[in-house]
Amino acid sequence: MFEQDYLMRLLMQFMEAMRRSIERADDGRDPAAAADMLESAIGDATDLDGSMLLSLAPESMASVLQVSGVDPHVTEYVANSLQLESEFLRSAGNDELAEVRAGQAQALASAYGLELAEGTPVERLDYLEATQD
């Protein structure tokens, strides 16, 4: 019960961080800062060094998360956050890093059998909220 409450609280915090980053990137206001907010949320949610995790090649990132025992629900949010971050980075003109984040998102989706949410950023967040256990 305690573990389930902890997980729900963690996912709610992750969703709130995603929502704040979407608001920050809205209409191109500050997509680079929005991407940074997502990176911070990923580090917090995984209890891993976020900068180290995000520096890994896509397949390595998936392996590290599997070995470290990060809950699959958290990993779903991480994958969708990476996909969203990729879009924010592309809007900020950082196409190279955007490609890395998109690859990491896809590698996690493949490793965990996930489908990445589609649509606008808000629609994706709504989808994640609706599918939360």
Side-chain angles (χ1 to χ4, degrees), residues 5 22 51 58 73 97 104 107 111 118 122 126 130:
D5 289 344
I22 291 167
S51 61
H73 290 92
L97 187 54
Q104 290 169 329
E118 296 180 3
V122 172
D126 290 344

Side-chain angles (χ1 to χ4, degrees), residues 38-133:
L38 289 174
E39 287 190 8
S40 179
I42 289 168
D44 291 344
T46 59
D47 284 334
L48 299 170
D49 180 346
S51 61
M52 182 278 309
L53 181 66
L54 293 167
S55 71
L56 297 173
E59 294 76 20
S60 298
M61 175 187 270
S63 296
V64 165
L65 289 176
Q66 287 174 322
V67 169
S68 67
V70 172
D71 188 277
H73 290 92
V74 173
T75 305
E76 181 177 16
Y77 281 80
V78 170
N80 280 283
S81 291
L82 288 167
Q83 179 189 36
L84 190 57
E85 182 185 354
S86 173
E87 293 176 21
F88 293 162
L89 289 167
R90 203 171 306 287
S91 294
N94 193 342
D95 292 340
E96 186 175 328
L97 187 54
E99 283 300 313
V100 171
R101 295 295 180 257
Q104 290 169 329
Q106 192 56 54
L108 287 178
S110 294
Y112 282 84
L114 304 171
E115 286 189 39
L116 295 172
E118 296 180 3
T120 68
V122 172
E123 289 170 342
R124 291 179 202 180
L125 187 57
D126 290 344
Y127 169 79
L128 288 172
E129 289 176 333
T131 59
Q132 187 177 27
D133 290 332

